[in-house]
C-alpha cells in the first residue's frame, strides 16, 4: 500500500514543471494551491489504560507515517483556509483473543485509514528567507478503522443466552489541530499536536494528544 501511495506522490511531484507557482506573498491572495508531503505521528500522550474491550493497540494505531494532500486558498496574503487529507496503511484491529496459550502471537489487521483536516494558517513573520506561520483547525481521525464485533449475553444465572452483533466506530474521533510551521518558497515544515478529550479509547474519556511532524511541498497554483 505504501508503494501505491508513493507512486501517487511521485506523480504529483512530476507535474511541478507544468504548474504555476508564485513565492511572492503579495500575489497569492485569491489563489488556490495544492501541496503533498508526509506526516509522522509521534507516540500519543495520555494517562492510564485504554478500554480493555478494544481489539487494538492505541499507540500503534496513532503513531507512524502518513502521506498528506492539501488544498490551501489564500483569503489574504497572510491568511489561508485549508482542506487536507492524510492517508496511511495502519492497524485496524488485532486478534488478541486468538492467543489462548501463556505466550503466543497473532496477525494484525491493517487497512487504509485516512484523516480529514480543515484549518486556518496565519503567516506571522516574514524573514529574509521564509515565513513563520501558525495553524488552527479541526481534524476527523481514523476514518476507515471500523471493525465488526460480537458480544455474548448471559442470563441472570450466568448462562449463555445469545450474542449481540454490530459495528464499532470507537477508533473514529475528532480533534483540535494546533501547529507551528516554517515555510521557505515551496517547502513547509510543521510541528503540531492533535488533541481531544473524547477519543473513544478510554472509559471514561480523558485527554489524548498526538504530536506530529510534517513536511509538505507546494506543487503549484490551481
Amino acid at each position: 500500500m505504501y508503494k501505491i501511495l508513493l507512486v501517487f506522490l511521485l506523480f504529483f511531484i512530476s507535474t511541478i514543471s507544468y504548474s504555476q507557482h508564485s513565492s511572492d506573498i503579495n500575489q497569492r491572495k485569491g489563489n488556490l494551491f495544492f501541496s503533498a508531503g508526509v506526516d509522522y505521528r509521534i507516540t500519543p500522550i495520555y494517562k492510564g489504560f485504554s478500554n480493555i474491550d478494544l481489539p487494538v493497540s492505541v499507540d500503534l494505531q496513532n503513531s507512524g507515517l502518513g502521506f498528506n494532500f492539501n488544498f490551501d486558498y489564500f483569503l489574504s496574503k497572510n491568511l489561508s483556509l485549508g482542506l487536507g487529507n492524510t492517508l496511511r496503511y495502519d492497524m485496524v484491529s488485532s486478534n488478541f483473543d486468538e492467543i489462548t496459550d501463556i505466550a503466543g502471537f497473532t496477525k494484525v489487521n491493517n487497512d487504509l485509514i485516512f484523516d480529514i483536516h480543515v484549518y486556518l494558517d496565519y503567516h506571522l513573520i516574514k524573514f529574509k528567507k521564509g515565513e513563520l506561520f501558525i495553524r488552527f483547525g479541526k481534524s476527523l481521525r481514523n476514518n476507515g478503522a471500523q471493525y465488526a464485533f460480537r458480544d455474548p449475553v448471559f442470563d441472570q444465572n450466568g448462562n449463555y443466552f445469545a450474542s449481540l452483533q454490530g459495528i464499532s466506530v470507537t477508533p473514529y474521533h475528532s480533534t483540535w489541530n494546533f501547529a507551528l510551521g516554517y515555510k521557505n518558497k515551496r517547502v513547509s515544515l510543521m510541528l503540531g499536536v492533535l488533541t481531544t478529550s473524547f477519543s473513544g479509547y478510554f472509559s471514561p474519556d480523558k485527554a489524548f494528544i498526538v504530536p506530529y511532524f510534517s513536511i509538505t511541498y507546494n506543487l503549484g497554483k490551481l
Side-chain angles (χ1 to χ4, degrees):
M1 183 59 65
Y2 276 125
K3 292 182 179 179
I4 297 176
L5 295 176
L6 182 59
V7 169
F8 277 111
L9 183 60
L10 292 176
F11 169 77
F12 285 118
I13 292 176
S14 68
T15 65
I16 292 173
S17 60
Y18 300 99
S19 63
Q20 298 180 0
H21 176 79
S22 174
S23 58
D24 187 350
I25 64 173
N26 296 310
Q27 297 182 21
R28 60 193 181 193
K29 178 182 177 181
N31 290 313
L32 179 66
F33 294 88
F34 176 73
S35 61
V38 293
D39 295 339
Y40 186 81
R41 299 174 319 286
I42 307 168
T43 301
I45 301 170
Y46 58 90
K47 292 183 179 180
F49 299 95
S50 63
N51 188 333
I52 60 174
D53 293 331
L54 291 177
V56 67
S57 167
V58 175
D59 290 349
L60 291 178
Q61 190 174 72
N62 293 279
S63 61
L65 187 67
F67 295 89
N68 66 64
F69 305 92
N70 309 282
F71 295 91
D72 296 279
Y73 179 78
F74 277 83
L75 303 171
S76 70
K77 69 177 184 179
N78 293 323
L79 181 66
S80 64
L81 175 64
L83 176 64
N85 195 336
T86 299
L87 301 175
R88 49 196 171 92
Y89 188 68
D90 219 328
M91 172 187 285
V92 174
S93 64
S94 181
N95 304 315
F96 298 116
D97 56 350
E98 291 184 359
I99 304 176
T100 57
D101 296 330
I102 297 176
F105 63 90
T106 182
K107 67 178 181 179
V108 171
N109 301 311
N110 291 334
D111 207 340
L112 187 64
I113 301 175
F114 63 96
D115 304 337
I116 300 173
H117 314 283
V118 179
Y119 54 86
L120 287 171
D121 284 349
Y122 187 77
H123 295 71
L124 294 169
I125 305 173
K126 186 178 186 304
F127 304 103
K128 185 176 181 180
K129 290 185 178 180
E131 301 172 80
L132 192 69
F133 67 92
I134 56 174
R135 173 167 296 184
F136 171 74
K138 239 349 204 183
S139 298
L140 300 177
R141 304 194 61 248
N142 292 341
N143 298 275
Q146 295 86 350
Y147 54 86
F149 72 95
R150 175 179 291 175
D151 284 336
V153 177
F154 300 93
D155 61 23
Q156 59 183 1
N157 297 319
N159 299 315
Y160 172 77
F161 177 72
S163 292
L164 294 179
Q165 186 168 313
I167 299 296
S168 173
V169 294
T170 302
Y172 171 86
H173 59 270
S174 64
T175 66
W176 293 107
N177 186 357
F178 303 96
L180 178 66
Y182 175 77
K183 176 179 173 62
N184 187 2
K185 295 182 179 180
R186 293 179 181 265
V187 179
S188 295
L189 303 175
M190 193 165 58
L191 181 65
V193 293
L194 301 166
T195 176
T196 182
S197 296
F198 306 99
S199 64
Y201 290 116
F202 312 99
S203 182
D205 281 303
K206 58 183 66 177
F208 184 69
I209 301 172
V210 180
Y212 70 91
F213 172 80
S214 75
I215 177 170
T216 59
Y217 191 94
N218 191 328
L219 294 169
K221 184 169 58 178
L222 300 178

